[in-house]
Each structure stands twice: as structure tokens, then as C-alpha cells.
């Protein structure tokens, strides 16, 4: 790692001020950023830790919405969102490994927007609202391609609001080495329709599979997806699977998510 | 039941106490006063000409002590190769130079170009980034068959081409093999790839160099399986330091699996730099660095053909293999696809005629050398896979086809130059049939199918040659080293023993198992015996631990030294008991006179040896310390039968291992618990090779699997509980313990069972599949189903 | 350099660190607690697992300054007060759950975290929990068995050898 200054503010306001410096970068749980820094792929002059900000932590149910602080760890979401939004809690409880879940945060994951991360599928698949220190961003506007989001420099995800669906589930097949999703699909059924979000598969990062959404909105059953395929043109092809394989898996995982939805 | 603490007891490991409490002493735990740190600037391109290395900007960076490039090593030898193979025309192999730091060209991604020694590792790395290296990139050769084309770019400009050697074995049999194929009733042909692997011991390599100006003594602390070998190679061939001025210490080592046998540039560098900088120099590999600097394993491309007569007897076998050497010859690389591979092609079968051709090829990749099994997994895999394919083609039961062709009489001289001393392949297959419950497979398959899963069964045999090796034989075959082992047994005055062994324990439990042997021989408690290993300053010259040789060769040396101890102690006892030496018996830690109740305790004899007041000084010297060097007269030949059951997900191609069973014949067993652990670990590495692990390059020589993000390591949930058995025991006839060695068997025997099981599962769904190349990733299995 | 203060295995520990100093480096280099190992640089192998405020974390993927004020437990603090092996450590020895010992500190610390949350895990739960701890020696057979045994479950039916 290149060296950097480290600050750990106690409030969002302090953090925003600290991030106003050029080359300052926010540090969530660090489970992606620290390995990146070790490879010297980033060189911030200052890291602003968000782990000391109490107001950014916690899970609460507000009406038909689950609100999760941006600094909440995957483990906490897995434990505390389980009754209100079991599909989301299940997803959080399967990110990385237990030690990673004890540090990694939802805000960190969404800000990074790794094309193989789990949380983007939940956020997009739920039509969540990404709340920052300065505004609210709809998930449909937030994800803008791999490692690219609507966040401005220095903008912090303070909370994420997930509308609670009637049913939901997350189906994942792991990449054999990293154990990140090779392909994973989050399905959520709402009163006004079904959302299907796919991660791990596309060169453009997480995306909604609109044909599947249409089919499932009419008939929320796995066989409603029979015959539906996604094009492999934009799928990732690498050591772990061809684009055609990933395209195939999108259908398989979507069906499995529907079948498992509760 | 075995006696507590003696041969055959599952004694708990004494070394565990320190490992479980964080009190181990691994090389990276060693920090010397005043030490500096080195960071190697490594090539990020696979092949290129170095035009210039400008270190001027880096020299002035904070904390920099000294920057080294190839020029600093002008008077120093290159990295030596320890084995010279002679090709089928009688020519010796092409052997390129292998510099410590890249000289003139870079030949693989990861080759060290420059080294920065600085006060901290961070500063060293900062400065390395300021070095300006001007390289003209050249086309890289990655694929072995491309590398042998006449117009291929040459990895080494001073060699004729990229062919290291073209080995034929046994060349004299070639014509007879051809004839047998022409007469065959059936010929089965299989093309396959044995995937390139990275050994990945969990402890990355570390080297710390130290130089004592007052005495002129160099010390190297290193993560090695064989510190004496490193001392000899580095001292004699690289740095020109005589052994008495060079100490090599390999303390607790966190796994080796072959990749810590070899002498590496980083070891020579820190030893050299410690003197040049006049302070200790430490190098700690990161995992990412390990992927591009640890020698890789396997990487063979093979076509094998099996000829059978009308009664399905194997009549001949021939195999053509391309073996990747990488860009340079690692220490024992040339021996792996030849003498550790071709000599095993008979397997467990009485095939009368065999011909093996191996073309070893230079490519712009990391050097390839021995990895757990080394040559024998490659031999076993192709042989067992071609038998499975033959059974499919002939419509016969694959287990019966094997049984029909088993070797039945021992000793058995194979047509590939080795003689198996003992074995009973029916016994291990019968035992496997029992422990794997092969009779219950069809019911389990139906149960899987009811859940929508495909289920398959793979069964195969293996034989390996280990306990390496007779020095005079390997000398004839091109080894530039002997392969004996040593032990010094020092008895202390009050009766305790210290065994100084040339074997090295890096997970195998020598500190526990070796004392069990001596405890049994003398009849004392194992806790009275301590094992010292890993330091050339206090162990006799020994060749170290690899090739499943430690108990068979190192243990035998210890037995021989202990026999000398007992012989001398009997002389002392006969004096103390005033009886004839021939009447003295040693039992349960006491010497007695046969047929009388006169006896003297072990401790009284040992005390007499060091306080020789009443002692036959005119006949024997005081003291009780003996050394033995044991050179085996043959290899040992563990064998066994393995079974794997898998489920395959029809939709995703995902494979899960549902059952894995291994019936091994290791001869006599010292500590069954440790033996089982060795087999478990070997099987897991074999399953890793078969399902997960794949070291891959792109066409430009960039390493695609350069970290754990892309190189798939087996996890706990990839494995089932294993069922292993080693009750079939045909003791080795030529070593004093009757032992064969167990360290590599699991990795040798398991890959074909896994692949066979997946193929069987796919065939159960009507897919016309006879082979799928490893690793059987979900993507590949799914593709095979389409 | 910034001073960091924490409690390690019940004792106050402090030292001057850079922003980039990892918790693993602080423990190994500043505190001499070399039982915590570093086996990879991508946060996967788990040899570096320690507990921070009672939770398992990868100390090579956490800055030392993030642990300021925290209670840290390492492998060196796991034995019983009289120095004997604790239940998990003893089970690892009894069931040969380690070979080279390099991954062992992380395995023991992860096992302790698992059993704290889930005192009687199933085999599947143990294997799943160990996703972030890689062992190259044992094939996991005896590690899983040792953890089940440490939880007080009868492992005699699991293949003994």
C-alpha cells in the first residue's frame, strides 16, 4: 500500500468535510478497498473511515420499508433484517465469508459496485432508494456500469431504503476461486410487479431482466420463465465461464430464485 | 493393539502444542537486528529484450539501502539444475542459463529484474516503482506445440530451439510396441491435458540472509524442505561459499508440496545482499508474488494409446507427452516428466510392452517442477483414464478389466525399468469395494436421480514409486545429487535421545512419528526422544523431505543409527553385567542376560557411557552417539484403489463430491493417524486439481490465475468426509521398517476417480462423453452436456 | 506515525503506526505476536483471523488504526489460564486437525467464533463457516471433525481414519 493519512470522524458532517480534500477516499469495512490498496491500484492521500459514525449503522423497519444504515455490516443485516425482509437478510448472510461479513458494509458494497457483488442485485431488485448525505437516488438511476455509480466525489451513502416485497429470494452460483457470484439473481415480487436483478453476469454490471419481470408479473412461477433467454453478447466471458454459459445461468438462477421465494 | 507410543500407535502430535498456541517459529517470524527488506521488481511482460534499467531516480528515494540489477551478479553463478536428462538420440538436454536477476531478456511474467533493499518493505516497493526499465517486447511462446514450430520465437536465443529434450523410453522397445499395436484386436486412444497447478502451501516463501563479518559465516533462513540441498546448490554452484561458511536454516515450514524443494533466486539474493549491504536482508513473498515466482506443477499434454487383444488383455501401451518446463529449468524439473513419470507407466498392470515419449518444452511461463506426486500423478491419470475409455468402448466393466490385467506375482520387473518388490492389487480393490460400498451405488444413484441430480462413480488404481532413491541408479539417470538420508542419534547421559535428521518436517509430523520408531526399538517412552531437523549446523548432511521419502529413507537411516547405538550399548551392558555380549537382550528399556534375572536399565548403561568409571575403555570409546547414512536399494511402491462418487447438477454443471474412498497399501505403518491425515490432504489436492485448480495464461503470457481471486483453492465445503483405509499391507522388502511412504498417494490416486465419476454421471444421462479435461469446472461440465 | 491503543489478549497494547499499517502487521511486528499469520493478500485464506470486540475479522484486511480502543484476541490468548490447551485447541490436537500449522491460528479463531454463535453446528454449518479459511494440508476432514468434537458432539461415527 501507498501510505495515507487516516481519519475516523464520528458524524456524517465531519466525514463529508474530511472527504472534501482532493484524493481523500471513504473507507467502509475495507473488505474490497484494502486488498485494492495492497495491489497499489489506488493511491488516496487520506482515508476517511466511516466505521465510527453511529448514525450510519443499524436496521429498522419503517412501515413497508426496511431502512439500513450505510455503515451497517453484512452480518448485522443478516441478523436484523431477517424478520422484516428475509430475502435481503439471506443475501447479506451469504456475502463473502463470516469474517468479511463482520467488517464489510452495505454502503461500501454499493459504492464500489463490483460487477460480481451481491448487494447491487438486492438494491436494484428491490427498487431501493440510495440515500446519501445530499440526496436520494433511485436504484434504477444509481447503477451505471461496472464500478460506476451515480455518486459524486465525496458523497456518502448514509442509508438504503428497501421496499419490502411480498416474496423474494436470491439464487447464486459461486465463481470457484473468489466465491463471488459467477451469476446470481435476486427476484422480488411486489404488488405492482416483479423485479429481477442479475449480478455477476454482465460486462455492464448489475442489470434488470425485463422480459423475466414481465413474465413473472403475470405468473410468479418458475415455469413462467420457460423459453426466456438473455443474449450472451454483453455477458462476461473469462476463465470461469463463457458468455454463453453465463447467459444460460441467468435463466437457471432466476428460476431457482422464483422457486425459493418466500 | 500397538504399544503406546511405539510403532503402530496413533500418538498425538507433540508439535501441535506450539502450532495451536501461536508459538511456532516460521521463517517470517524471524527478525534480525538491523535487518533491511528487499522488494523484487518483476517483469510484467512475458518476453522481451531489456534495453536499459535506470535506477537513478530510485536510488535517492527514502530508505533505500542499495539497488541491485544483473550487473551486480556478474561474477556469480546462475541457478543450477539438479538433473540432466539424456534424450532418445543420446544427446544431453539443452540447458539454458538461469540468472538471479534477469540478464539481457525477460522470459516470463514475474521474473525478477531488479531488487531494492530498503529500511522498510514499503520503501523498497516505493523505490522499485521509480526504476525505469526499458524493454522491447517480443512475441511470447505459451502453447507447447506452437513453441516447437520451426519459426517459433526462441525463449533462449543461445539454444537451438525450444525443445529441452526429446526422451524415448524404453527406446529399444519402440519397434516391438509398434508391432503389438498392429496386431491389436482393439486400440483405445485418448488425448488429454494434465492441468498446470500452483502448489500453494499456505505459508508463502520467505528468505532472510545474514552475514557475520567477524567470522565470515553466512546464514540463510528459508522456507525449504531440504536445507542441506539448498546449502550445497547455493554454496557450490551459485555464490561460491564453502559449506563450512554457510549455514541454512529451515525452521517451522508451513507446507511444501514440492514447491519448497527447489533453490530459488530469492534465497541466493538475500544471502548475497546481506554481505553486500552489511546487514540482514529479508524477503517475504506475498501470495500474488508466489503465483509468479513459485515453481508451478504438472502441465502435460498427452496422447495415450492402449492396445488389447481379443480377450481384453493389455498387450501394449504408448504415450506421447509434451511437458512444459517454463522459461528456465527449475532444480529438478527435467526428472519429473521422465524418470518420475515414464517409469510408472506400467501402473498396476502386466502390460508387456510400453513406449513413452516425452518432449520437454521451453515456454515464456513460470518454471514448472515437482508438485505433490511429481510425474506419477500424470502417469496415473493418463493410464487410468485410457483404461476407463477402453472399458466404455469395449462395453466391459472397468473394474473387471483392471482386475483381469493386474500384476499378480512379485517381485515384478516392469517393461519400464523398475521392479516392484511387493503389492497385492486385488486386496486393495477388494477393500475399496467394501469401504466404498460399491454394491450400494445403484441405489444411491436412483436416490440422486429422484432429486433430479446425475450421479456417477469413478474407480481407479494407482501405483507410485517413492522412498527416493538409490543414489547409484539415479546417478546413471542424470541426477546431480545422491538421494540417501542421514541421521545422528545422540544418547544423553541420563538416557534421553536426540535424533538429528536430514529429513525435514513441514506438516508430516516427524517430531512425533520418528520417536515412535526408536521407542519401539529400545523399549523406552517416546517422550524421551527429541527430533532435531532443519538446520545444517546441527544435522548431518541429508537430502530432505519430498517424494514420500522421509520414513522410508530418513526413518531407515535413523533405524540404522539406532542399531549401532544398541550394539554399542549391549557391549557396555555386557561389561556391567559381566556376561557375554551375545547373551545380552534389550527389552522394555532394560538389558538382561538371557536365561537369568540379571539386568541393567537403559539409563544405567547410558550413564556408564558418559561416566566411564566402570567401563571397557580398552575395547570401546566412551559416549553413545552414532550416525548412519542410508541409501535405499530400490524405490518403494505404494499402491491402492480409489473410488469417487459425484453428483452433477444438470442445469449448472456443478459437481459435488458425495463420497470418496481410498484403500491404500503403504506397507507397515508407524502412526495411523498421521498416515490418514496425509491421505486426506493428498485427496483434497487431487480433488482440487480435478474440479477447481487451473493455472492459466493468455496468449501473451499474462497469468490469468494470479491470485486466489482466480485460482480456485479447495474449501471445506468442497470436500466430504473421506473414507480411507490402510489395512492392506504388503511390507516393503528392502528397508528395515517395511514402510513405503504415504505423502503423495492421495494426490496421485484421486484425479482419475473424480473425472471418471463425472464422465459416468454424464453417460448416465445419455451423453456420449468419454473424457473431460480438468478442472471440471461447472462451465466445462455444462459445455460437455450440450 | 500515529499512536494506536488497544487491548490485546486482555493486556494494554500500544504502538506507533502508519495509516497503512494493517492490524496483522501491528500484532506481528509491533507486539511480537507472530501466531497470527498472513497467507494471502486478497482476504481469502483466513490465516490472519483474530477477534475484534468479540467478532472474527481478517486482521490483514483491517487497518491497525481501525482497532483503536478495541478488544483484540489472538491465538496467543486462547489457551486456558493454566497454559493448557482450550477445548478447541485440544480437539484439534486430538483429531489431528492440523499438519503444517500455518493456517491453524486462523482456523482456531474462526472455530471459536462459530461455536460462540452456534454451539452445536452441523457438519454443513461448519464447512460453510470455514469458507474464509483455507487449509492446504488436511483436506479439512480432521478440522471439521475437531470442531464438531469441540462442540461436544459425538464424532465417533465419523470415519476415524
Amino acid at each position: 500500500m501507498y501510505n495515507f493519512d487516516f481519519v475516523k470522524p464520528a458524524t456524517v458532517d465531519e466525514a463529508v468535510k474530511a472527504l472534501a480534500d482532493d484524493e481523500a477516499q471513504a473507507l467502509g469495512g475495507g473488505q474490497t478497498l484494502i486488498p485494492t490498496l495492497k495491489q497499489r491500484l489506488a493511491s488516496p492521500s487520506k482515508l476517511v473511515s466511516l466505521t465510527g459514525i453511529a448514525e450510519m449503522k443499524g436496521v429498522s423497519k419503517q412501515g413497508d420499508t426496511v431502512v439500513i444504515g450505510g455503515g451497517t455490516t453484512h452480518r448485522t443485516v443478516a441478523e436484523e433484517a431477517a424478520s422484516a425482509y428475509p430475502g435481503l437478510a439471506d443475501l447479506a448472510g451469504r456475502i463473502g465469508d463470516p469474517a468479511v461479513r463482520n467488517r464489510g458494509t452495505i454502503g461500501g458494497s454499493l459504492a464500489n459496485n463490483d460487477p460480481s457483488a451481491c448487494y447491487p442485485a438486492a438494491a436494484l431488485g428491490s427498487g431501493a432508494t440510495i440515500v446519501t448525505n445530499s440526496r436520494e437516488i433511485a436504484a434504477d438511476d444509481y447503477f451505471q456500469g461496472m464500478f460506476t455509480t451515480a455518486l459524486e466525489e465525496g458523497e456518502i451513502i448514509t442509508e438504503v431504503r428497501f421496499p419490502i416485497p411480498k416474496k423474494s429470494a436470491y439464487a447464486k452460483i459461486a465463481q470457484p476461486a473468489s466465491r463471488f457470484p459467477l451469476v446470481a439473481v435476486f427476484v422480488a415480487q411486489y404488488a405492482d410487479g416483479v423485479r429481477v436483478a442479475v449480478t455477476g453476469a454482465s460486462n455492464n454490471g448489475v442489470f434488470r431482466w425485463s422480459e423475466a419481470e414481465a413474465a413473472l408479473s403475470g405468473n410468479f412461477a418458475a415455469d413462467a420463465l420457460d423459453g426466456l433467454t438473455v443474449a450472451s453478447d454483453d455477458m462476461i466471458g473469462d476463465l470461469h465461464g463463457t458468455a454463453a454459459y453465463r447467459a444460460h445461468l441467468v435463466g437457471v438462477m432466476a428460476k431457482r430464485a422464483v422457486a425459493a421465494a418466500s | 493393539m500397538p504399544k503406546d507410543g511405539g510403532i503402530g500407535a496413533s500418538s498425538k502430535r507433540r508439535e501441535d502444542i506450539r502450532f495451536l498456541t501461536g508459538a511456532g517459529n516460521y521463517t517470517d517470524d524471524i527478525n534480525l537486528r538491523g535487518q533491511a527488506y528487499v522488494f523484487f521488481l518483476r517483469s510484467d511482460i512475458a518476453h522481451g529484450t531489456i534495453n536499459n534499467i535506470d535506477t537513478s531516480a530510485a536510488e535517492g528515494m527514502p530508505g533505500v539501502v542499495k539497488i541491485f540489477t544483473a550487473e551486480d551478479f556478474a561474477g556469480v553463478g546462475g541457478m543450477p539444475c539438479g538433473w540432466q536428462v539424456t534424450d532418445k538420440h543420446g544427446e544431453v538436454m539443452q540447458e539454458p542459463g538461469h540468472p538471479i536477476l534477469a540478464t539481457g531478456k525477460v522470459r516470463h511474467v514475474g521474473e525478477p529484474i531488479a531488487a531494492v533493499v530498503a529500511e522498510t518493505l514499503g520503501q523498497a516497493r516505493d523505490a522499485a516503482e521509480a526504476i525505469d526499465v526499458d524493454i522491447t517486447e517480443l512475441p511470447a511462446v505459451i502453447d507447447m506445440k506452437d513453441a516447437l514450430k520451426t519459426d517459433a520465437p526462441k525463449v533462449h536465443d543461445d539454444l537451438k530451439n525450444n525443445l529441452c529434450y526429446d526422451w524415448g523410453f524404453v527406446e529399444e522397445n519402440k519397434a516391438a510396441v509398434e508391432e503389438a499395436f498392429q496386431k491389436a484386436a482393439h486400440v483405445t486412444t485418448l488425448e488429454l491435458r494434465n492441468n498446470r497447478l500452483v502448489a500453494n502451501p499456505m505459508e508463502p516463501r520467505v528468505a532472510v540472509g545474514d552475514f557475520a563479518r567477524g567470522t565470515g559465516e553466512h546464514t540463510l533462513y528459508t522456507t525449504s524442505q531440504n536445507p542441506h540441498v539448498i546449502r550445497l546448490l547455493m554454496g557450490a554452484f551459485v555464490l561460491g561459499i564453502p559449506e563450512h561458511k554457510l549455514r541454512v536454516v529451515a525452521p517451522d515450514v508451513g507446507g511444501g508440496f514440492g514447491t519448497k524443494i527447489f533453490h530459488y533466486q530469492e534465497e541466493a539474493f538475500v544471502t548475497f545482499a546481506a554481505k553486500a549491504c552489511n546487514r540482514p536482508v529479508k524477503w517475504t513473498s506475498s501470495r500474488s508474488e508466489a503465483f509468479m515466482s513459485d515453481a508451478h506443477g504438472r502441465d502435460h499434454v498427452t496422447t495415450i494409446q492402449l492396445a488389447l487383444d481379443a480377450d481384453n488383455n493389455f498387450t501394449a501401451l504408448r504415450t506421447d507427452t509434451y511437458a512444459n518446463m517454463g522459461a528456465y529449468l527449475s532444480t529438478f524439473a527435467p526428472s519429473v516428466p521422465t524418470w518420475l513419470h515414464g517409469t510408472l507407466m506400467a501402473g498396476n498392470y502386466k502390460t508387456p510392452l510400453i513406449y513413452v515419449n516425452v518432449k520437454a518444452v521451453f515456454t515464456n511461463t513460470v518454471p514448472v517442477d515437482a508438485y505433490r506426486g511429481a510425474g506419477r500423478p500424470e502417469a496415473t491419470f493418463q493410464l487410468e483414464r485410457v483404461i476407463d475409455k477402453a472399458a466404455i468402448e469395449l462395453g466391459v466393466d472397468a473394474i473387471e478389466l483392471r482386475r483381469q490385467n493386474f500384476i499378480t506375482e512379485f517381485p515384478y520387473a516392469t517393461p519400464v525399468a523398475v521392479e516392484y518388490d511387493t503389492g497385492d492389487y486385488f486386496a486393495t480393490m477388494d477393500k475399496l469395494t467394501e469401504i466404498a460400498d460399491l454394491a450400494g451405488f445403484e441405489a444411491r444413484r436412483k436416490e440422486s436421480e429422484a432429486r433430479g441430480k446425475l450421479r456417477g462413480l469413478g474407480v481407479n488404481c494407482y501405483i507410485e514409486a517413492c522412498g527416493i532413491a538409490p543414489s547409484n541408479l539415479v546417478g546413471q539417470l542424470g541426477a546431480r545429487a545422491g538421494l540417501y538420508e542421514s541421521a545422528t542419534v545422540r544418547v544423553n547421559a541420563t538416557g534421553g535421545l536426540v535424533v538429528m535428521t536430514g529429513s525435514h518436517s513441514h506438516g508430516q509430523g516427524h517430531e512425533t512419528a520418528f520417536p515412535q520408531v526408536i521407542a519401539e526399538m529400545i523399549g523406552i517412552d517416546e517422550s524421551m526422544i527429541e527430533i532435531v531437523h532443519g538446520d545444517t549446523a546441527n544435522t548431518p548432511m541429508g537430502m530432505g523431505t519430498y517424494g514420500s521419502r522421509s520414513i522410508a529413507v530418513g526413518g531407515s537411516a535413523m533405524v540404522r543409527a539406532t542399531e549401532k547405538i544398541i550394539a554399542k550399548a549391549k557391549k557396555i551392558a555386557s561389561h556391567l553385567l559381566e556376561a557375554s555380549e551375545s547373551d545380552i537382550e534389550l527389552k522394555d528399556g532394560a538389558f538382561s542376560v538371557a536365561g537369568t534375572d540379571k539386568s541393567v536399565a537403559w539409563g544405567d548403561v547410558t550413564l556408564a557411557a558418559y561416566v566411564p568409571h566402570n567401563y571397557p575403555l580398552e575395547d570401546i570409546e566412551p559416549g553413545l552417539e552414532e550416525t548412519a547414512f542410508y541409501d535405499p536399494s530400490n524405490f518403494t511402491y505404494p499402491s491402492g484403489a480409489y473410488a469417487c462418487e459425484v453428483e452433477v447438477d444438470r442445469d449448472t454443471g456443478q459437481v459435488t463430491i458425495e463420497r470418496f474412498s481410498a484403500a491404500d497399501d503403504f506397507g507397515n505403518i508407524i502412526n495411523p493417524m498421521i498416515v490418514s491425515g496425509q491421505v486426506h490432504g493428498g485427496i483434497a489436492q487431487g480433488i482440487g486439481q480435478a474440479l477447481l485448480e487451473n493455472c492459466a495464461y493468455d496468449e501473451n503470457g499474462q497469468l490469468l490465475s494470479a491470485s486466489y481471486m482466480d485460482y480456485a483453492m479447495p474449501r471445506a465445503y468442497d470436500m466430504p468426509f473421506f473414507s480411507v483405509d490402510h489395512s492392506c499391507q504388503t511390507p516393503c522388502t528392502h528397508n528395515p521398517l517395511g514402510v513405503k511412504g504415504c505423502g503423495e498417494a492421495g494426490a496421485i490416486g484421486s484425479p482419475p476417480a473424480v473425472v471418471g465419476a463425472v464422465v459416468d454421471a454424464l453417460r448416465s444421462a445419455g451423453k456420449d462423453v468419454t473424457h473431460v479435461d480438468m478442472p471440471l469446472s461447472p462451465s466445462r461440465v455444462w459445455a460437455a452436456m450440450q | 506515525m500515529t499512536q494506536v491503543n488497544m487491548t490485546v489478549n486482555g493486556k494494554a497494547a500500544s504502538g506507533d503506526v502508519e495509516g497503512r499499517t494493517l492490524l496483522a502487521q501491528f500484532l506481528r511486528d509491533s507486539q511480537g505476536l507472530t501466531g497470527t499469520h498472513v497467507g494471502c493478500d486478497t482476504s481469502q485464506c483466513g490465516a490472519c483471523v483474530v477477534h475484534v470486540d468479540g467478532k472474527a475479522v481478517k486482521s490483514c484486511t483491517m487497518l491497525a488504526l481501525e482497532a483503536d480502543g478495541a478488544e483484540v484476541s489472538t491465538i496467543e490468548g486462547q489457551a486456558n489460564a493454566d497454559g493448557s490447551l482450550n477445548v478447541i485447541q485440544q480437539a484439534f490436537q486430538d483429531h489431528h486437525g492440523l499438519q503444517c500449522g500455518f493456517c491453524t491460528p486462523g482456523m482456531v479463531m474462526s472455530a471459536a467464533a462459530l461455536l460462540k454463535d452456534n454451539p452445536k453446528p452441523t457438519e454443513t454449518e461448519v464447512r460453510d463457516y470455514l469458507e474464509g479459511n483455507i487449509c492446504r494440508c488436511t483436506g479439512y476432514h480432521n478440522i471439521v471433525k475437531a470442531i464438531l468434537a469441540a462442540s461436544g458432539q459425538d464424532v465417533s461415527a465419523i470415519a476415524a481414519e
Side-chain angles (χ1 to χ4, degrees), chain A residues 1 38 49 51 75 97 102, chain C residues 20 56 58 60-61 66 117:
Chain A
M1 281 189 272
K38 284 186 195 175
S49 169
T51 61
R75 177 186 173 146
D97 59 60
N102 282 334
Chain C
R20 62 180 164 180
K58 292 184 164 169
C60 82
T61 313
E66 287 277 36
D117 290 346

Side-chain angles (χ1 to χ4, degrees), chain A residues 1-6 8 27-32 34-35 38-40 47 49-51 75 79 96-103 177-179, chain C residues 18-22 25 38 40-44 49 52 54-58 60-63 65-68 110 117 128-133:
Chain A
M1 281 189 272
Y2 299 104
N3 203 11
F4 46 77
D5 294 330
F6 174 86
K8 191 170 176 177
L27 173 68
Q31 301 304 287
T32 301
I34 289 176
K38 284 186 195 175
Q39 292 180 65
R40 298 195 163 202
L47 279 194
S49 169
L50 306 179
T51 61
R75 177 186 173 146
E79 290 174 352
D97 59 60
V100 167
R101 294 195 287 275
N102 282 334
R103 293 289 305 165
S178 68
R179 314 280 166 148
Chain C
E18 292 183 311
R20 62 180 164 180
T21 304
L22 299 165
Q25 292 173 313
V38 177
C40 79
D41 44 14
T42 49
S43 197
Q44 274 150 321
V49 168
V52 175
K55 292 199 173 92
V57 304
K58 292 184 164 169
C60 82
T61 313
M62 179 172 178
L63 300 177
L65 287 167
E66 287 277 36
D68 192 53
S110 280
D117 290 346
D128 285 350
Y129 197 88
L130 295 180
E131 171 169 326
N133 291 83

Side-chain angles (χ1 to χ4, degrees), chain A residues 67-111:
Chain A
V67 180
I68 298 174
T72 309
T73 63
H74 310 326
R75 177 186 173 146
T76 300
V77 174
E79 290 174 352
E80 298 183 10
S83 59
Y85 193 166
L88 175 65
D90 174 67
L91 174 145
R94 290 156 63 198
I95 298 172
D97 59 60
V100 167
R101 294 195 287 275
N102 282 334
R103 293 289 305 165
T105 64
I106 187 169
S109 173
L110 293 175

